[in-house]
Amino acid sequence: MTDMLFTNARLIDPVALTDSLGALLVRDGKIVDVYESAPDANGATVIDCGGKCLAPGIIDIGVKVSEPGERHKESFRSAGRAAAAGGVTTIVTRPDTIPSIDTPEILEFVERRAQADAPVHVLPMAALTKGRDGREMTEIGFLQDAGAVAFSDADRVVTDTKVFSRALTYARSLDALVIGHTQDPGLSKGAAVTSGKFASLRGLPGVSPMAERMALDRDIALLEMTGARYHASQITTARALPALERAKRNGLDITAGVSVHHLTLNEMDVADYRTFFKVKPPLRSEEDRVAVVQAVADGLIDIICSMHTPQDEESKRLPYEEAASGAVALETLLPAALRLYHAEMIDLPRLFRALSLNPARLLRLDAGRLLAGAPADLILFDPDAPFQLDRTKLLSKSKNTPFDGARMQGKVLGTWVDGERVWEKA
Amino acid sequence: MLREVCILQIPTSNAQQTIDAPSRTAISTLNRDKGPIMTFRAKHLLGIEHLHPTEITTLLDLADSYAEHNRRGVAHRDVLAGMTQINMFFENSTRTQASFEIAGKRLGADVMNMGMQASSIKKGETLIDTALTLNAMHPDLLVVRHPHSGAVDLLAQKVNCAVLNAGDGKHEHPTQALLDALTIRRAKGRLHRLSIAICGDVAHSRVARSNIMLLGKMENRIRLIAPPTLMPSGMNEFGCEVFENMEEGLKDVDVVMMLRLQKERMDGGFIPSEREYFHRYGLDADKLAHAKPDAIVMHPGPMNRGVEIDGNIADDINRSVIQEQVEMGVAVRMAAMDLLAQSLRASRTPQGQMV
């Protein structure tokens, strides 16, 4: 493999939190070094970035690839291509498939499928309890040996605290990461939207934003008890932030994420029962959205994810309460997140801290950085290029995006995985 | 431009005067000889939310005249002659379905009732497929009731006939609000600057939502009275006063609107028991004494006597207008279907070009 020299690049460094012009040399799929001014090419292929942004590839925790079970919604091939086009170089897949990924055998199937079809890195999560039923923990050790990077029941909550505390204790002994969904199951039962004026106006069953705080409080107490490594997949309300802050200050091994939808949309976007805006947890009030964006900028919330959830038309074209939750977002993650940059709520290095560096740290990967020795998982993008999203042009098999017709800024020009170009803008 | 002028030329109060001596010709003049009534342009009647006060007044004026004609036994079988009306009720209903059926028949429509509980949805057909199937049969008016909020809006997007919402989940029930408004206007002589209490199970009530919107648009003072477990959140942001106590809430109101306790929509634990609910929130003579002496009592039916309302109050002909509400229901539905049919005809004849 010949060397590659990226010149004239606006380097987004989430470690040093800098945004400066420079060059970057890649050899054998690794970053050799970063330079302020371009060195001699020495036979390397020169890629002139034209002053556009070069950043570590996005690591997206919590992507649903609907294999096994619902391949008509998304496959490793389609999700992998969508990821590459969206600047996502690593997808961390969810276990909420049919059947759930809860045995090493199913996990091996997933890895084999991913290896064969996906052009980006795929790291699988496994279920925390068998069948995601919340009754018995899975074979965490075997699953870890087979390559599971984290354990989660996805959008289900283990309601039995005894079962959950045992799973956390056992996971701690293996230093396994547990990812939790923080929604009190009692309060949020049957809810389709966040309670409040909008829910009342539309006559839809709502859940109080307090349901998130309650579940987070419970999980924090169990962490204090067990000392496990824990990541809250989506923190979306202002009320939950002080609890998270306190837990971090008390030295618990806790991190938190948020989906890009909760950072860029609010409950009013549902308008006249637009089911493409139905996600789990439901979209929040504008006050909550702004508070959560601020928490990402401050570093209290560590990770931005897509919560990519493919749903076909049949699951969405239903009355709002009956419609399936979730939205595809691998391809819209970056342009949507850039809305925060254009609104001057966050700068690019801090954005990539949440998109690339922090997920890498959480999963103990050496990716997510523009440093010598790191894998050459890179994206080149123009943060300002405007476009209007046409959902029919998405590479995902399912087209359930809330951003259809939206005016967005930010196009991925190229994506490299281990130094191999996997996406080039036509 | 022409349309704007028409609005100015036919103020709604005049419209009522033209039918001072109600006759079939008067209604015809109002309805059709001047072309479509320009103050009602909606294609569907999905809710009160998107109606303009002028449209509400237009509809009520027409309904008022139909009410008089209904009393005198004058039918208008030419208004919807040749049109097909399909009543699709995905939820049990006796009174609303009967009311729509009678309204359609009095106007000459061919009315068909589809009991949706027993049909293809049981075989797994989606709402949209049901809508497309029906649409292929070219109905003109589709009357829909559905247990899920927003389902009627969804259906209306997929068909090219006029859709009337006969109640969707906990969202809206526009014809009920319109018939309540007409009842109030006839009893009180006006539909503005009244103090109106809406009491009971607001949380599960689409009737309450439509009424709050309609009465608010017509500039009335709305007081909501309910136990906090049955009060949806954020109601004070709709410009309503919220009370937890019946005596305080009913003080000096002109209209007392009771709501049915919707036991079938409850998943438990909203109230401790029916007898405690009746004691604290049921309308009886003692509580009604706090309202104005001439306050009227309304209920959308069917009533749970002894739960939200004392039977004696419901039957008191000096206070209760509950039977009148049922009567106005037919008139309002006739008016709504008449106006929507006109919009439909106008949209089907391509002559109305904008200049």
Side-chain angles (χ1 to χ4, degrees):
Chain A
M1 194 192 283
T2 58
D3 296 359
M4 276 190 302
L5 182 65
F6 294 85
T7 62
N8 196 19
R10 189 175 155 193
L11 299 168
I12 309 298
D13 184 344
V15 178
L17 293 175
T18 55
D19 174 350
S20 56
L21 277 180
L24 184 144
L25 183 66
V26 170
R27 179 177 300 148
D28 297 332
K30 302 263 187 213
I31 297 172
V32 176
D33 215 342
V34 182
Y35 313 90
E36 273 182 37
S37 54
D40 244 5
N42 266 338
T45 314
V46 175
I47 298 168
D48 183 353
C49 300
K52 304 297 186 222
C53 296
L54 187 67
I58 297 168
I59 299 169
D60 192 1
I61 298 182
V63 173
K64 178 158 179 188
V65 177
S66 311
E67 281 190 66
E70 295 174 297
R71 220 164 129 184
H72 60 289
K73 293 186 177 176
E74 192 84 286
S75 67
F76 278 102
R77 180 181 298 278
S78 62
R81 289 177 63 215
V88 177
T89 51
T90 303
I91 55 180
V92 180
T93 57
R94 298 211 307 257
D96 53 339
T97 45
I98 306 168
S100 301
I101 301 169
D102 58 359
T103 63
E105 290 75 16
I106 302 175
L107 192 78
E108 275 159 22
F109 165 81
V110 167
E111 287 177 322
R112 202 166 59 241
R113 291 285 307 121
Q115 186 90 41
D117 274 0
V120 300
H121 299 296
V122 176
L123 301 175
M125 287 193 241
L128 183 66
T129 64
K130 287 174 187 160
R132 302 193 297 126
D133 281 341
R135 283 196 289 269
E136 262 183 286
M137 73 175 94
T138 51
E139 296 167 315
I140 296 177
F142 278 154
L143 285 160
Q144 209 176 20
D145 293 346
V149 296
F151 296 83
S152 169
D153 280 353
D155 61 352
R156 290 196 197 155
V157 176
V158 182
T159 48
D160 188 330
T161 43
K162 195 168 253 177
V163 171
F164 194 45
S165 70
R166 281 180 191 148
L168 285 169
T169 307
Y170 194 82
R172 196 200 65 80
S173 73
L174 293 165
D175 200 19
L177 174 67
V178 174
I179 299 185
H181 177 71
T182 46
Q183 291 299 313
D184 181 76
L187 270 186
S188 55
K189 190 176 161 203
V193 290
T194 304
S195 64
K197 186 186 171 191
F198 180 79
S200 299
L201 182 67
R202 286 283 171 271
L204 291 171
V207 56
S208 163
M210 197 56 92
E212 184 169 288
R213 229 276 297 285
M214 288 170 61
L216 181 65
D217 275 339
R218 182 199 78 155
D219 289 2
I220 287 172
L222 289 171
L223 289 188
E224 227 173 287
M225 192 171 113
T226 60
R229 283 175 69 207
Y230 177 88
H231 174 70
S233 63
Q234 301 187 73
I235 293 296
T236 58
T237 61
R239 287 277 179 90
L241 295 174
L244 177 65
E245 205 266 322
R246 223 167 23 246
K248 283 188 163 186
R249 191 156 22 89
N250 291 344
L252 297 181
D253 198 346
I254 183 171
T255 51
V258 60
S259 91
V260 73
H261 300 117
H262 292 93
L263 292 173
T264 52
L265 304 167
N266 70 25
E267 57 184 349
M268 304 301 278
D269 284 305
V270 172
D272 285 326
Y273 304 101
R274 289 150 71 185
T275 54
F276 280 21
F277 289 79
K278 185 175 179 183
V279 291
K280 206 169 175 181
L283 292 174
R284 307 302 194 179
S285 69
E286 179 62 7
E287 293 75 33
D288 279 332
R289 185 189 76 84
V290 172
V292 169
V293 171
Q294 189 59 47
V296 172
D298 295 343
L300 175 59
I301 290 181
D302 308 85
I303 289 168
I304 300 174
C305 63
S306 69
M307 256 322 132
H308 182 81
T309 307
Q311 297 289 1
D312 53 10
E313 306 281 308
E314 284 68 36
S315 328
K316 281 288 187 184
R317 298 281 186 214
L318 291 170
Y320 199 86
E321 282 169 65
E322 292 186 319
S325 297
V328 292
L330 280 168
E331 290 157 86
T332 48
L333 173 58
L334 182 62
L338 284 170
R339 282 184 168 182
L340 308 177
Y341 161 71
H342 291 295
E344 297 180 354
M345 298 170 102
I346 193 166
D347 59 20
L348 288 176
R350 281 180 177 78
L351 198 58
F352 277 86
R353 181 178 66 184
L355 288 167
S356 307
L357 176 63
N358 284 343
R361 280 181 174 156
L362 182 64
L363 301 171
R364 296 172 177 164
L365 308 171
D366 51 4
R369 305 154 168 93
L370 297 184
L371 291 179
D377 293 350
L378 300 167
I379 57 169
L380 179 66
F381 67 98
D382 178 351
D384 302 313
F387 68 99
Q388 189 167 14
L389 188 89
D390 176 356
R391 73 185 184 101
T392 60
K393 300 233 166 75
L394 292 177
L395 298 175
S396 279
K397 265 192 196 174
S398 295
K399 313 293 183 190
N400 55 310
T401 172
F403 294 111
D404 186 35
R407 290 167 200 282
M408 307 184 100
Q409 275 179 281
K411 280 187 182 167
V412 178
L413 306 171
T415 306
W416 290 263
V417 172
D418 288 334
E420 293 269 2
R421 188 155 199 166
V422 295
W423 168 255
E424 180 166 9
K425 201 191 160 316
Chain B
M1 200 58 215
L2 187 64
R3 292 182 162 209
E4 258 48 61
V5 174
C6 286
I7 291 178
L8 295 175
Q9 281 178 346
I10 317 173
T12 44
S13 53
N14 284 359
Q16 217 176 352
Q17 281 161 22
T18 53
I19 45 167
D20 264 346
S23 72
R24 214 171 143 170
T25 16
I27 286 190
S28 302
T29 319
L30 182 68
N31 287 353
R32 261 156 280 120
D33 295 357
K34 288 183 188 170
I37 290 185
M38 291 305 166
T39 47
F40 193 95
R41 275 179 261 169
K43 208 174 148 224
H44 306 294
L45 183 62
L46 300 177
I48 300 295
E49 190 185 355
H50 300 295
L51 287 184
H52 189 271
T54 332
E55 291 178 305
I56 293 170
T57 311
T58 301
L59 200 151
L60 294 183
D61 289 345
L62 183 58
D64 215 351
S65 60
Y66 273 130
E68 292 306 321
H69 289 214
N70 283 344
R71 280 195 181 170
R72 300 193 295 135
V74 186
H76 298 275
R77 302 209 189 275
D78 55 336
V79 174
L80 297 181
M83 287 196 154
T84 310
Q85 172 194 340
I86 300 183
N87 294 338
M88 276 171 88
F89 281 65
F90 292 90
E91 207 179 54
N92 281 322
S93 163
T94 313
R95 55 182 61 222
T96 307
Q97 184 170 342
S99 182
F100 268 108
E101 185 173 352
I102 289 170
K105 285 183 171 162
R106 287 214 179 128
L107 295 178
D110 297 314
V111 186
M112 191 181 125
N113 288 316
M114 293 181 67
M116 299 309 292
Q117 293 92 1
S119 79
S120 49
I121 50 162
K122 283 269 188 277
K123 300 173 194 159
E125 189 175 66
T126 65
L127 180 63
I128 292 204
D129 284 335
T130 309
L132 292 177
T133 306
L134 276 177
N135 195 47
M137 301 178 196
H138 297 293
D140 302 287
L141 297 152
L142 209 51
V143 180
V144 187
R145 168 170 287 189
H146 198 280
H148 289 301
S149 304
V152 183
D153 296 60
L154 179 69
L155 199 141
Q157 293 164 16
K158 301 289 165 188
V159 297
N160 40 28
C161 57
V163 176
L164 289 101
N165 182 358
D168 63 325
K170 297 183 281 179
H171 179 218
E172 283 233 44
H173 190 354
T175 55
Q176 178 71 41
L178 287 161
L179 74 88
D180 287 343
L182 183 58
T183 310
I184 295 171
R185 197 172 83 170
R186 288 166 65 103
K188 291 283 160 195
R190 66 178 198 274
L191 190 59
H192 59 271
R193 296 196 181 182
L194 292 167
S195 182
I196 298 166
I198 301 177
C199 320
D201 186 0
V202 180
H204 298 97
S205 177
R206 51 196 173 211
V207 176
R209 276 173 185 74
S210 288
N211 265 314
I212 289 165
M213 264 178 275
L214 192 153
L215 297 170
K217 276 176 203 267
M218 306 315 272
E219 296 171 15
N220 294 285
R221 187 170 172 176
I222 303 166
R223 310 175 131 217
L224 299 178
I225 314 169
T229 46
L230 292 175
M231 182 69 76
S233 61
M235 291 318 281
N236 48 354
E237 292 176 52
F238 290 103
C240 305
E241 291 168 82
V242 174
F243 295 89
E244 289 175 11
N245 178 294
M246 278 290 265
E247 284 78 6
E248 283 170 30
L250 288 179
K251 191 164 167 36
D252 296 331
V253 298
D254 299 289
V255 178
V256 183
M257 205 178 265
M258 298 307 297
L259 297 172
R260 187 169 63 87
L261 194 65
Q262 303 205 29
K263 286 174 273 188
E264 75 278 10
R265 284 186 209 283
M266 293 186 184
D267 49 11
F270 285 91
I271 51 163
S273 71
E274 287 182 7
R275 62 180 191 177
E276 180 163 331
Y277 182 79
F278 181 68
H279 178 68
R280 299 195 61 212
Y281 293 97
L283 187 69
D284 54 21
D286 288 346
K287 297 194 186 88
L288 186 58
H290 291 82
K292 279 192 186 153
D294 63 345
I296 55 169
V297 174
M298 306 176 75
H299 193 294
M303 279 182 279
N304 297 314
R305 285 169 190 260
V307 179
E308 70 258 354
I309 191 162
D310 187 332
N312 291 331
I313 301 284
D315 299 332
D316 182 350
I317 52 164
N318 295 316
R319 309 301 292 269
S320 165
V321 292
I322 295 169
Q323 292 311 312
E324 167 121 349
Q325 282 175 279
V326 178
E327 185 191 349
M328 291 309 121
V330 176
V332 154
R333 286 165 184 133
M334 288 169 81
M337 289 197 285
D338 183 351
L339 292 169
L340 288 176
Q342 288 177 49
S343 300
L344 192 66
R345 286 197 184 99
S347 71
R348 282 174 181 174
T349 46
Q351 59 191 4
Q353 288 165 353
M354 292 295 281
V355 185

